[in-house]
């Protein structure tokens, strides 16, 4: 299923990195799965604690998109949550 998300989004625009963060049923943390490029074996999913500083937590709480053109200058509080080569981000809630 995750792979089909990447295929459909790539029809709309080009990107270098994609991940999906799913909130656990107990609401305590997100499981983040890198979709593009494919992660190395054994590194497919990583659990991240839900916190106010998390991009996923912000999008889930606000129930709206987050678009950051320059992570380093426009949203430095989020830049450490992305690989160093990522310069901008588009984060959307999935319902």
């Amino acid at each position: 299923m995750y792979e089909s998300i990447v295929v459909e989004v790539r029809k709309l625009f080009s990107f270098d990195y994609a991940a999906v963060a799913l909130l656990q049923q107990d609401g305590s943390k997100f499981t983040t799965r890198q979709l593009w490029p494919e992660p190395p074996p054994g590194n497919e999913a990583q659990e991240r604690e839900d916190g106010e500083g998390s991009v996923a937590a912000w999008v889930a709480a606000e129930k709206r998109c987050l678009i950051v053109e320059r992570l380093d200058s426009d949203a430095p509080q989020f830049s450490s949550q992305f690989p160093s080569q990522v310069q901008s981000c588009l984060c959307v809630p999935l319902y």
Side-chain angles (χ1 to χ4, degrees):
M1 177 178 109
Y2 298 127
E3 292 79 13
S4 63
I5 292 172
V6 171
V7 170
E8 292 304 314
V9 172
R10 285 188 77 80
K11 290 178 184 177
L12 301 172
F13 54 88
S14 176
F15 55 86
D16 297 321
Y17 175 80
V20 63
L22 302 174
L23 185 61
Q24 295 295 314
Q25 284 187 332
D26 65 4
S28 66
K29 57 189 165 187
F30 290 88
T31 299
T32 301
R33 189 173 303 269
Q34 181 177 328
L35 304 177
W36 185 266
E38 289 190 32
N43 211 18
E44 293 86 2
Q46 51 184 309
E47 290 187 355
R48 177 170 63 209
E49 291 295 321
D50 177 22
E52 290 182 25
S54 161
V55 172
W58 187 92
V59 171
E62 295 292 320
K63 296 180 175 58
R64 61 188 176 114
C65 297
L66 175 66
I67 301 169
V68 180
E69 195 168 327
R70 302 251 342 134
L71 278 168
D72 57 351
S73 60
D74 297 339
Q77 71 274 28
F78 296 139
S79 63
S80 65
Q81 298 174 37
F82 295 92
S84 60
Q85 73 271 19
V86 175
Q87 296 178 10
S88 59
C89 72
L90 167 64
C91 304
V92 296
L94 302 174
Y95 298 102

